Amino acid sequence: MLLDMLQSSSPYLVGSILLAVLAFAGSLIPGVAAILVAGASLADPWGVAVVALAGCAGCVLYATGGWLVGRRYGSRLRRGKAGRRIGERRWSRAERLATATGAGSGTALAAAFFLPVVGSLTPIAAGARSVPYTRLVRWAMAGGAAWVTVYLSLGALAGDALRQNRHLLVPILVCVAVVVAGLLVINHRARPPREGTDTGTGTGDATGTGDVDATGKILG
C-alpha cells in the first residue's frame, strides 16, 4: 500500500526530496503537498526532525534564489507576461510585506510563508526593492520553520489516521482532489483581466464604421 511504502522510506530520502521541491516551488501548492506527503511518511521523532531541517533548508534556498532573481530581474519579471498573470495586487502585497518597517514587520515577513502565491513572491519583491539579504533570510528561517512544522504535523496526523482507517483512503483522496481543484478554480477566477482587454469603455467606435469627431459625425 502507498502509506506503507511511504513509511518504509528513509527520512533522509524524504528530506532530500522535500528540500528539492521547496527550493524550487516555495509556498506554492506543490510545496504544501510535498510537506503533507512527507509528514504522512514519518513515524518517529528523529525522522520528523531530519525532514523538518531539510524543509527549512529548502525554504532558505528558495528565499535566497528569489532574492537574487528579484535583484536582477525584479521589475522586468513583474512587467512581463507571467508577472501580469500573477496580478498587480499580489505583487503589491508581497512588496508591502518585504519592505515593511517598525514593530511586527519581521513577524509579518515570516508569516508570508503561510500566504499562497504572495509568500512565494515576497523574496523576489525583497530583492527588487534592495531589502538586505540578512534581514530576509533571518525571517525566512523563522517563517519556514513554523510553516514546515505545521504542515508536517498535519501530514503526520493525517497519515496516522489513514493507517488506522484504511477503508477511508479513497474517499479522503477524492475529497482532497476536489478541494485542490476548487482552490485552483478560485485562484484562476480571482486573477485580474489581462492588459489590453476591451472593456467597452474605449474611445474608439465599437461598430468599426470609423472614427467619430467632436460633433458626433462619423469620419471616413
Side-chain angles (χ1 to χ4, degrees), residues 16 42 50 77 107 111 149 192 197 210:
S16 299
L42 303 175
V50 169
L77 183 63
T107 304
T149 300
T197 300

Side-chain angles (χ1 to χ4, degrees), residues 17-217:
I17 296 173
L18 181 62
L19 187 154
V21 172
L22 293 184
F24 288 97
S27 59
L28 296 173
I29 289 177
V32 174
I35 300 175
L36 291 173
V37 172
S41 71
L42 303 175
D44 59 84
W46 171 250
V48 173
V50 169
V51 175
L53 286 174
C56 292
C59 291
V60 171
L61 286 175
Y62 181 83
T64 300
W67 186 85
L68 291 172
V69 168
R71 288 277 290 181
R72 187 170 182 85
Y73 305 108
S75 58
R76 277 182 285 175
L77 183 63
R78 185 169 178 172
R79 294 194 303 266
K81 183 178 180 180
R84 292 196 303 270
R85 286 179 63 85
I86 290 170
E88 183 60 27
R89 180 176 56 84
R90 293 192 181 108
W91 280 108
S92 297
R93 191 176 183 188
E95 190 174 71
R96 288 196 299 271
L97 287 171
T99 59
T101 57
S105 60
T107 304
L109 184 57
F113 274 92
F114 291 89
L115 301 176
V117 183
V118 173
S120 297
L121 296 177
T122 302
I124 301 174
R129 294 300 301 271
S130 299
V131 173
Y133 172 73
T134 52
R135 178 177 186 270
L136 173 69
V137 78
R138 182 171 68 249
W139 289 108
M141 290 176 65
W147 180 63
V148 169
T149 300
V150 167
Y151 281 102
L152 273 181
S153 301
L154 291 175
L157 290 173
D160 184 60
L162 287 174
R163 279 187 284 271
Q164 295 180 23
N165 302 277
R166 294 172 183 266
H167 61 286
L168 298 177
L169 178 59
V170 173
I172 289 177
L173 289 178
V174 171
C175 290
V176 170
V178 170
V179 170
V180 171
L183 289 174
L184 290 174
V185 170
I186 292 172
N187 181 66
H188 177 75
R189 296 199 172 199
R191 289 175 180 169
R194 296 183 183 179
E195 293 183 7
T197 300
D198 184 12
T199 60
T201 59
T203 58
D205 179 26
T207 63
T209 55
D211 296 326
V212 180
D213 68 3
T215 64
K217 295 179 180 179

